[in-house]
């Protein structure tokens, strides 16, 4: 238990070192990985897994994943990216992922925020309110 | 028809609205009624978290990169990686008169098979206790129907009186008696049509109890005709610890509705020892630092914030609390008992020895106290029972000395005799509360020495016979006693005539 806590603490410190102006820097990440390879801390797997988790969460904050049931044009993607960039005050890029379960509409995920504008989401809300 | 179309169109318009934002997370671990979640960066303390399959959670630990929450409802289908989202709402329970006569779980869902509850209002489970400006001092009595309590340890409306004792000493029985007595008073008061009469509604919260015990309690209340004035909130031993932790707070919210709407309510927490154990379990699984007896550091705050919600409000109603604590081998100095003793306005201590000697209710007069005191007593009770506590304490002291020798002076013998008669008089069967006017009659007869010539074993029977005599033949006098609530010369003369009449007919 204590070892896991220490691994988490080290991973968090390394993650903080990987940021430049609040964004994950690829150079810093390779530097951290090189350092870990060289230093071989206790429980390296736990440290790397925790570090990976922190970096993934941070990267997700700069990416808008647009799930769609129909076709999404580039202009819509660009509009979404621009509005999210404005909303979150950081550069956000948009990527697409097809999801037929939505039936129609879009679902945009930025970090742990989800913007639901799909038929399946609306039906779910309706079902919960009845 | 057009309005129906409009309604549908409005619903469609709502659906066509812009995107709905949800703050989401994923389940990292689920164990023992507690989930640890990734994400949920916007979760608020005590906010409800929606889980898949209709289960709900309450965010209790907001950490740097994860949220710890307790789970309510069916959690058997949850698995790692499931998506959850915040709701922006606090956990709320239905409140109002629609709950009277019903048994609900910790979330206010009916569990008695009597169909849905037609409640229109909801109160959050966690609410801040009324402040000092809103409060008023406790001065109105709440009759338990137990002579030993009403005459020596009076309870007032808005008071918190702890009932403490080992297992099997009659703690629950005292509270059930009190609830039954409220129902009896309510029925008489409502039938009288007195506009000033304020009924007392009861809430019985069962925490960590066996289902069979809960059923027995409900049956007792139903048989006594008290269920129609009572709400049962049950989180049985088989419920998960989160439900057991929430149940007393849900009950308090239901009680607060009565208080805030100008009514009086009584809430029984049966019991807070098991509640503390459920909270300890949750806290340990949430990896909160543990302190004495492995309870978390905020276990005092857990009970203080709950019991502080009981109050008498100025210009509104009141909420009286009877929390129960179970001790181990009579140890009052354990952690949870001392905590709750210091929070409440007094305690009724029940002793195993007294119980085994057949003195029931087994109230230990020496260790029991009501900090509200005689301000919560009617004048008649003060007149007939004002010195009882002192006399009984003296009796216990003398009785302890008398064990060592038989050579006692006449005064001591008289005191011992009187003391043992008082002890006999206070014996009362379960689920049989005595109305306050009958208590006054019984104690008045004792004060005037009507039981003195009797064999000690016949005193209880004589008191029962006296009460029966008054109930059947002197109803007008009882009504007068109840309405006047004080003994004057005229009433005492009437009382004397009536008791003399009974004495002439009574054969020991």
């Amino acid at each position: 238990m204590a070892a896991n806590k220490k691994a988490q603490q080290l991973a968090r410190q390394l993650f903080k070192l990987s940021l430049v102006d609040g964004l994950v820097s690829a150079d810093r990440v390779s530097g951290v990985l090189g350092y870990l390879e060289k230093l071989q801390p206790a429980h390296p797997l736990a440290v790397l897994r925790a570090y990976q988790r922190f970096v993934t969460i941070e990267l997700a904050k700069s990416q808008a994943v647009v799930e769609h049931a129909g076709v999404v044009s580039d202009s819509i993607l660009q509009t979404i990216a621009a509005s999210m960039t404005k909303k979150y005050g950081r550069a956000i890029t948009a990527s697409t992922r097809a999801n037929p379960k939505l039936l129609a509409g879009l679902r945009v995920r930025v970090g742990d925020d989800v913007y639901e504008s799909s038929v399946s989401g609306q039906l779910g809300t309706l079902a919960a309110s009845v | 028809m057009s309005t129906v179309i409009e309604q549908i169109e409005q619903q469609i318009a709502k659906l066509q609205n812009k995107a709905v934002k949800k703050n989401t997370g994923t389940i990292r671990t689920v164990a023992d009624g507690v989930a640890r979640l990734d994400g949920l960066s916007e979760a608020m303390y005590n906010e409800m978290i929606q889980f898949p399959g209709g289960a709900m959670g309450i965010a209790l630990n907001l950490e740097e990169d994860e949220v710890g929450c307790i789970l309510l409802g069916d959690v058997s289908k949850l698995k790692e990686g499931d998506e959850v989202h915040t709701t922006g709402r606090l956990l709320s329970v239905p409140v109002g008169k629609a709950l009277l006569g019903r048994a609900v779980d910790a979330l206010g869902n009916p569990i008695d098979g009597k169909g849905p509850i037609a409640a229109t209002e909801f109160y959050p489970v966690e609410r801040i206790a009324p402040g000092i400006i809103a409060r008023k001092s406790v001065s109105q009595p709440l009759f338990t129907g137990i002579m030993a309590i009403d005459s020596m340890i009076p309870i007032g409306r808005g008071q918190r009186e702890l009932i403490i004792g080992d297992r099997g000493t009659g703690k629950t029985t005292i509270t059930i008696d009190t609830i039954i007595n409220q129902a009896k008073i309510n029925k008489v008061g409502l039938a009288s049509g007195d506009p000033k009469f304020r009924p007392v509604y009861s809430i019985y919260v069962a925490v960590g109890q066996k289902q069979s015990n809960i059923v027995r309690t409900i049956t007792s209340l139903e048989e006594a005709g008290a269920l129609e004035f009572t709400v049962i909130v049950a989180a049985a031993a088989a419920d998960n610890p989160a439900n057991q932790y929430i149940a007393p707070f849900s009950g308090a919210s239901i009680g607060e509705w009565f208080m805030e709407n100008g009514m009086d309510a009584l809430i029984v927490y049966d019991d807070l020892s098991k509640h503390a154990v459920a909270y300890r379990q949750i806290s340990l699984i949430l990896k909160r630092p543990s302190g004495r007896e492995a309870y978390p550091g905020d276990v005092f705050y857990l009970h203080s914030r709950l019991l502080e919600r009981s109050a008498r409000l100025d210009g509104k109603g009141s909420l009286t609390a009877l929390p129960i604590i179970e001790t181990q081998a009579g140890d009052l100095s354990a952690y949870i008992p001392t905590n709750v003793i210091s929070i409440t306005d007094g305690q009724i201590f029940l002793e195993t020895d007294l119980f085994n000697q057949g003195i029931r209710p087994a109230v230990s007069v020496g260790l029991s106290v009501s900090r509200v005191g005689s301000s919560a007593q009617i004048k008649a009770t003060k007149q007939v029972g004002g010195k009882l506590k002192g006399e009984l304490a003296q009796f216990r002291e003398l009785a302890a000395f008398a064990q060592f020798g038989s050579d006692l002076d006449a005064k001591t013998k008289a005191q011992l005799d009187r003391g043992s008669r008082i002890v006999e008089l206070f014996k009362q069967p379960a689920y049989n509360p005595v109305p306050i006017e009958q208590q006054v009659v019984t104690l008045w007869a004792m004060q005037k020495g009507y039981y003195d010539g009797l064999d000690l074993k016949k005193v209880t029977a004589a008191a029962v016979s006296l009460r029966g005599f008054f109930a059947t033949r002197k109803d007008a006098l009882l009504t007068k006693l109840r309405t006047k609530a004080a003994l004057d010369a005229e009433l005492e003369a009437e009382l004397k005539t009536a008791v003399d009449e009974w004495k002439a007919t009574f054969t020991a």
Side-chain angles (χ1 to χ4, degrees):
Chain A
M1 192 64 72
N4 188 31
K5 205 172 179 183
K6 278 186 179 169
Q8 288 275 336
Q9 279 173 348
L10 177 60
R12 190 171 287 123
Q13 281 174 351
L14 294 173
F15 168 68
K16 281 177 184 166
L17 289 172
S18 312
L19 300 176
V20 177
D21 298 331
L23 296 171
V24 176
S25 150
D27 292 344
R28 292 276 183 102
V29 170
S30 4
V32 164
L33 292 176
Y35 167 80
L36 281 174
E37 206 172 3
K38 207 164 115 188
L39 193 76
Q40 283 292 323
H43 310 287
L45 191 64
V47 175
L48 272 172
R49 283 219 170 112
Y51 178 66
Q52 184 195 23
R53 192 171 140 251
F54 291 136
V55 172
T56 311
I57 290 169
E58 188 56 37
L59 286 176
K61 288 179 188 171
S62 302
Q63 188 145 35
V65 180
V66 182
E67 291 177 50
H68 57 92
V71 185
V72 184
S73 66
D74 282 349
S75 65
I76 289 177
L77 273 186
Q78 278 167 10
T79 315
I80 289 170
S83 64
M84 291 300 170
T85 302
K86 195 179 166 192
K87 187 174 174 68
Y88 287 93
R90 63 196 295 170
I92 290 177
T93 54
S95 60
T96 56
R97 187 193 293 162
N99 185 357
K101 283 183 188 169
L102 296 182
L103 302 176
L106 297 173
R107 182 188 286 161
V108 182
R109 186 185 293 270
V110 182
D112 54 11
D113 286 339
V114 173
Y115 298 86
E116 182 83 53
S117 186
S118 68
V119 170
S120 75
Q122 287 165 353
L123 287 174
T125 313
L126 195 62
S129 65
V130 171
Chain B
M1 191 57 81
S2 63
T3 48
V4 177
I5 303 285
E6 274 169 24
Q7 275 181 350
I8 297 169
E9 277 175 353
Q10 277 170 6
Q11 191 71 40
I12 291 169
K14 270 188 208 166
L15 291 179
Q16 282 175 340
N17 267 348
K18 59 183 179 180
V20 181
K21 186 190 167 190
K22 280 183 199 167
N23 190 244
T24 62
T26 49
I27 299 177
R28 214 162 145 193
T29 60
V30 182
D32 307 308
V34 165
R36 303 183 80 82
L37 312 164
D38 266 337
L40 293 181
S41 57
E42 289 172 18
M44 294 178 285
Y45 185 63
N46 268 339
E47 185 181 355
M48 282 171 85
I49 309 292
Q50 180 72 59
F51 283 75
M56 298 300 282
I58 301 170
L60 283 191
N61 269 20
L62 305 181
E63 292 168 24
E64 201 173 346
D65 48 43
E66 70 175 20
V67 172
C69 87
I70 54 170
L71 295 165
L72 306 158
D74 181 20
V75 296
S76 56
K77 284 175 188 148
L78 298 182
K79 56 183 189 300
E80 189 202 346
D82 277 353
E83 192 173 286
V84 300
H85 65 84
T86 56
T87 59
R89 287 185 286 126
L90 292 170
L91 181 64
S92 300
V93 286
V95 292
K97 281 192 172 178
L99 279 111
L100 291 171
R102 302 300 303 268
V104 295
D105 66 6
L107 304 177
N109 302 314
I111 52 167
D112 51 7
K114 293 180 186 171
I117 294 169
T120 50
E121 276 185 80
F122 288 81
Y123 269 17
V125 164
E126 287 274 4
R127 301 181 86 220
I128 295 170
I132 47 172
I133 305 292
R135 287 176 190 247
K136 202 177 173 189
S137 59
V138 175
S139 59
Q140 293 171 325
L142 184 128
F143 302 118
T144 61
I146 297 161
M147 288 211 295
I149 296 173
D150 288 341
S151 59
M152 293 186 291
I153 318 146
I155 299 171
R157 293 186 186 197
Q159 192 180 341
R160 291 89 42 94
E161 182 80 7
L162 170 66
I163 298 170
I164 186 166
D166 279 8
R167 62 183 179 80
T169 49
K171 302 182 294 296
T172 305
T173 308
I174 283 185
T175 60
I176 301 300
D177 270 347
T178 309
I179 292 174
I180 292 173
N181 199 42
Q182 303 319 307
K184 283 186 174 175
I185 295 171
N186 289 352
K187 281 177 186 169
V188 173
L190 293 172
S192 73
D194 180 4
K196 283 184 184 168
F197 177 74
R198 295 167 67 92
V200 177
Y201 299 101
S202 307
I203 299 115
Y204 178 82
V205 184
V207 182
Q209 288 191 41
K210 285 180 274 186
Q211 307 263 23
S212 57
N213 279 356
I214 299 172
V215 171
R216 203 168 58 199
T217 302
I218 294 173
T219 312
S220 307
L221 292 173
E222 211 159 17
E223 281 170 1
L227 197 62
E228 58 184 297
F229 297 102
T230 312
V231 183
I232 310 281
V233 181
D239 277 9
N240 72 29
N243 286 46
Q244 293 180 33
Y245 157 65
I246 288 293
F249 294 96
S250 305
S253 296
I254 294 168
E256 274 172 332
W257 181 87
F258 290 105
M259 176 172 74
E260 287 176 3
N261 286 283
M263 287 169 268
D264 292 323
L266 161 76
I267 185 161
V268 175
Y269 301 110
D270 193 2
D271 67 60
L272 291 188
S273 310
K274 290 191 185 80
H275 182 235
V277 168
Y279 187 58
R280 173 170 67 182
Q281 189 177 334
I282 289 167
S283 300
L284 289 174
I285 298 166
L286 280 170
K287 295 193 176 70
R288 288 181 171 183
S290 58
R292 188 177 156 187
E293 293 175 26
Y295 286 105
D298 65 340
V299 76
F300 183 90
Y301 177 58
L302 170 80
H303 289 151
S304 65
R305 74 173 192 268
L306 172 71
L307 292 168
E308 275 295 297
R309 288 166 69 175
S310 300
R312 183 177 171 212
L313 297 183
D314 197 7
K316 289 183 180 172
S318 70
L319 180 62
T320 311
L322 294 180
I324 292 178
I325 288 281
E326 188 179 296
T327 52
Q328 305 293 329
D331 183 14
L332 286 178
S333 61
Y335 191 25
I336 303 302
T338 46
N339 275 357
V340 184
I341 285 173
S342 70
I343 296 163
T344 48
D345 308 313
Q347 71 275 348
I348 295 166
F349 183 58
L350 304 175
E351 273 187 81
T352 313
D353 286 349
L354 292 177
F355 190 86
N356 292 338
Q357 283 166 27
I359 300 169
R360 295 170 199 181
V363 177
S364 164
V365 178
L367 289 172
S368 302
V369 68
S370 170
R371 284 175 210 157
V372 169
S374 59
S375 56
Q377 257 181 336
I378 57 166
K379 200 177 171 194
T381 317
K382 278 187 224 172
Q383 285 170 308
V384 294
K387 292 173 189 163
L388 276 175
K389 206 174 176 197
E391 279 180 33
L392 260 183
Q394 231 171 17
F395 161 70
R396 296 247 184 265
E397 207 174 312
L398 285 173
F401 275 112
Q403 281 181 338
F404 299 111
S406 57
D407 196 15
L408 300 167
D409 61 286
K411 194 187 165 197
T412 312
K413 273 184 184 166
Q415 274 181 323
L416 281 171
D417 183 62
R418 188 174 168 76
S420 42
R421 271 166 215 287
I422 299 172
V423 170
E424 285 300 311
L425 206 62
F426 282 152
K427 284 183 183 174
Q428 213 175 309
Y431 309 137
N432 201 359
V434 179
I436 194 70
E437 60 275 15
Q438 291 272 30
Q439 290 187 29
V440 171
V441 171
T442 314
L443 294 176
W444 185 87
M446 193 272 306
Q447 202 186 40
K448 300 295 173 193
Y450 279 90
Y451 311 116
D452 284 356
L454 296 171
D455 181 24
L456 196 60
K457 285 179 183 168
K458 305 278 185 190
V459 172
T460 316
V464 172
S465 155
L466 175 67
R467 289 198 287 268
F469 175 82
F470 267 75
T472 51
R473 299 205 206 163
K474 301 289 170 191
D475 197 37
L477 182 54
L478 286 177
T479 312
K480 210 185 267 184
L481 264 173
R482 189 169 58 239
T483 46
K484 272 195 176 176
L487 290 174
D488 51 21
E490 180 205 340
L491 209 54
E492 274 204 76
E494 274 186 64
L495 208 53
K496 189 176 181 317
T497 319
V499 178
D500 282 339
E501 202 181 310
W502 162 76
K503 185 82 178 173
T505 58
F506 178 69
T507 46

